[in-house]
Amino acid sequence: IVKFYTIKTIENICILTKVSKDYFADNENYILKILNVYLTTNNQELKLSAISTVSQLLRHNPSLIKYFLEKSHMLTDKNIFIKEVDGVKQCLINCLLYAIVGDSTSLKYILPKIELLTQVLLSFSEKCNNVIKVKIILLLGFFMVEQSIILKFGEEILIKMKKFRMDKNKEVHV
């Protein structure tokens, strides 16, 4: 209970204020401790709050992406999106998006495994809700700065983008 409310408080501070940028996101200590909670808890509410807090820390300090990627196994576990609930999946994608949008050089930490991650995201995008699909397409758009991604997956990514654009679902067009 104490862990949950502590992390929830940090999450709310990160979402609502810029104080967290100077206090919680200034070094890797908080992100590593919160990632540890995310990786070790079986409580789904605590897990969601922890990964949401991590995404907010990355929003404030994109350079923390290297610690997130090392600890989260996102670049090595092909099943990471299969075994998580939708809220956690969305936060995991937000972690990558916040880091890349906040600092495009963050992509260098993803490059060693970008093909595997692209393949996982493409296959997963067929089985997720529309909000996650759109975030995946945004993320894949950022990945397309890498030549190997364009050559290997470019056509598939562009077809998915076109399909989402043509979709009549209002969520996709918001």
Side-chain angles (χ1 to χ4, degrees), residues 21 24-29 31-32 35 54-71 94-110:
K21 184 175 184 174
F24 296 116
D26 71 336
N27 64 53
E28 71 275 6
N29 292 331
I31 197 166
L32 290 173
L35 272 169
V54 167
S55 74
Q56 294 302 319
L57 292 171
L58 286 165
R59 182 173 62 92
H60 289 298
N61 185 355
S63 69
L64 294 172
I65 189 72
K66 60 186 169 193
Y67 303 104
F68 168 73
L69 292 172
E70 286 171 7
K71 192 113 169 132
N94 283 346
C95 288
L96 297 174
L97 279 171
Y98 286 147
I100 293 169
V101 169
D103 181 4
S104 61
T105 63
S106 297
L107 198 54
K108 70 183 175 193
Y109 297 108
I110 298 169

Side-chain angles (χ1 to χ4, degrees), residues 69-70 72-78 80-81 96 100 106-122 139-140 143 146 148-149 152-153:
L69 292 172
E70 286 171 7
S72 72
H73 310 293
M74 186 138 186
L75 298 180
T76 56
D77 184 357
K78 292 181 184 179
I80 195 159
F81 290 106
L96 297 174
I100 293 169
S106 297
L107 198 54
K108 70 183 175 193
Y109 297 108
I110 298 169
L111 286 178
K113 298 285 188 174
I114 197 165
E115 288 187 24
L116 174 67
L117 184 57
T118 301
Q119 186 177 10
V120 168
L121 289 171
L122 282 168
L139 189 56
L140 292 173
F143 286 4
E146 180 60 27
S148 67
I149 298 303
K152 194 167 186 177
F153 303 104

